[in-house]
Each structure stands twice: as structure tokens, then as C-alpha cells.
Amino acid sequence: MSPHLRPSPSSGPGRTAVVTGASSGIGAATALRLAADGWEVVAAARRQDRLEALSAQAPGVRAVVLDVTDPASVSALAAQVPTCDLLVANAGGAFDLSPLAEADAETWARTYDVNVLGIVRTLQALLPALTAARGQVVLTGSTAGRWIYEGGGGYVAAKHAVAALRETLRLELVESGIRVSEVAPGMVATEEFSLTRFAGDADRAASVYSGVEALTAEDVADAIAWVASRPAHVNIDVVQLTPQQQAGVGKVVRRT
Ligand code: NDP
């Protein structure tokens, strides 16, 4: 068999993956996909009912309540995961679309806390388990980590920080054998992302995706599963994926 077709030693049955932000959207789709690929999945987020519903769908998925902004909660997660072959650090979100001149500093702080410090806390807590397994880290970044848009302020700044964090981690962890990747999608039509951004305004949330065949959560899960299934000597640095109709931040072709 060609070495390129050989299954990766770092994926498959008996291997443990932790997925944060697994109660909805990209995280939930990733948890189900990885379980289907044979991973033992620890699905972590704040909403226990959602996680238990996910776990009921796939026996390989275990629900663990996690708040990435709470160090004690992150430590409690790590205590349940002695070895970690894959960390998908996906918990995050946007909480406004305000011009910088009017932006609320508290909202920026919350955005940074969840999207950036959440990764830092989770990574630090799981590092011994990742080291034990010579594991892999996949961060859910965004095109907002490379492109900017008006009103994107705090979210764009946070996702740029995630991209920088990925590059830093890659340099710092290379000796350990741990791989570090970023999957950076453009528009993904998940049920809650835009609802959260617009504080529950369903019409405004729906208008984001109007006339666009956006990516699905499963499309992104597919990219994450591909990154996670490369052979151990291959580090995928960044996968950026966008809907065909989204060529750039100011270039979204809407079809009616
Ligand atoms: P969702 O809103 O569906 O998912 C966000 C997830 O993060 C939820 O499971 C939520 O669960 C979890 N979460 C939020 N806060 C915390 C916290 N403090 N601790 C633990 N978990 C938390 O959106 P998506 O699936 O669309 O987004 C997932 C990731 O993808 C995010 O990082 C987002 O920035 C990124 N992304 C999304 C894009 C899009 O267009 N949708 C595009 C590019 C990137 P709970 O509330 O139960 O804690």
C-alpha cells in the first residue's frame, strides 16, 4: 500500500477527540462526523441538554459541560481526559456588528474572552494530555481572521488573534510532535451564529445568508475531519473554505 493511503496512526478507533462548542452548529457536526470516523468524542459546551441529545445520536459521543471562560470548568474537563489525540477548539462567536466608534468595550472583552482566551485556557489545560498522545490541535478560525469588514470590529480582531495564535503555537509545539492547524470558513449557515450576533433578531440573522448557498456545518466538519486524518508527519497549516458565491468580504454574489 502506498504510504499516502495508509491510515493515519493519529486517527481512528480508540482515539480521543475533544470538541469545544459542540452543542450546536459546526461543533455538533464535527462531533458527529468524528464519531462516525471512529473517534471517541468528548463533546463540550455550556448547554448540557444539547450535548446529551448529541450523545444520544452517536454512542461514541460523551457530553461534558464546559465554559471556556471559566478556568475551573476548563480544569474539570481536563481532569476527565487523560490522553487527547485531537483538540478541536471551536467554541466562539460574534456578539455585535457595531462600528468601532460606537463599539461597546465590554462586548469586545467578551468576544476576546470566548474566542481567544477560551482557546488559551483549553490548550493549557489539555496540553499534558495532548503531549502524552503526541496529539493534534485544530482551531476554528474564520475568513474574519484575514479579511476585515465594517462593523466586524471585535470579532474580526479576535479571529485575527486566533490566526496569530495558531502560528505561535505551531512554532512553540513543533518539538513536542503536536500538530497545529486552523480551519477558517467564510459564511456558514448555522442556526445560531447570526442569531447570537444579532441578539435573537431572526429576520436580520436570515438576511445574512439571503441569496447565498452558504457553507453548511457539515462542510466545515468535513474539512476538520480531513485535517485530522492526515498521516502524523503531515501538518496542515490552514484550510480556508468559502461558499462559491463569496469571493471576498465585499464580494458576495447574491442570487434570487
Ligand atoms: P454556534 O453559535 O452554533 O456555535 C457556537 C458554539 O460555541 C456553541 O456550541 C456554544 O455552545 C459554544 N460556546 C459559546 N460560548 C461558550 C463558552 N463560554 N464555553 C463553551 N462553549 C461556548 O456557531 P457556529 O457553529 O457557526 O460557530 C462555531 C465556530 O465557528 C465559532 O468559533 C465561530 O466564530 C466560527 N465561525 C463561524 C462562521 C459562521 O459563518 N457561522 C464562519 C467562520 C467561523 P453553548 O452556548 O452551549 O456553550
Side-chain angles (χ1 to χ4, degrees), residues 89-212:
N90 165 80
F95 307 118
D96 69 346
L97 194 64
S98 304
L100 210 89
E102 297 162 14
D104 170 33
E106 288 302 317
T107 303
W108 274 59
R110 183 176 158 218
T111 308
Y112 194 81
D113 198 13
V114 176
N115 288 279
V116 185
L117 298 181
I119 293 176
V120 175
R121 291 185 194 101
T122 310
L123 185 275
Q124 286 179 348
L126 285 174
L127 197 52
L130 282 160
T131 304
R134 287 187 67 150
Q136 184 173 11
V137 179
V138 180
L139 309 179
T140 307
S142 171
T143 49
R146 283 153 193 87
W147 301 344
I148 53 159
Y149 52 94
E150 287 166 271
Y155 182 66
V156 163
K159 289 300 188 188
H160 272 68
V162 171
L165 199 152
R166 190 267 309 162
E167 288 192 62
T168 309
L169 260 185
R170 173 85 176 103
L171 290 169
E172 292 177 355
L173 294 183
V174 66
E175 276 93 1
S176 70
I178 296 171
R179 290 176 288 161
V180 182
S181 308
E182 180 188 350
V183 171
M187 295 166 75
V188 190
T190 53
E191 277 176 32
E192 298 186 7
F193 179 83
S194 290
L195 263 185
T196 303
R197 174 167 237 171
F198 300 127
D201 183 336
D203 290 341
R204 203 172 170 203
S207 72
V208 171
Y209 310 106
S210 151
V212 178

Side-chain angles (χ1 to χ4, degrees), residues 68-96:
V68 296
T69 68
D70 175 0
S73 174
V74 177
S75 296
L77 165 78
Q80 297 184 53
V81 185
T83 61
C84 180
D85 301 275
L86 172 65
L87 166 62
V88 182
N90 165 80
F95 307 118
D96 69 346

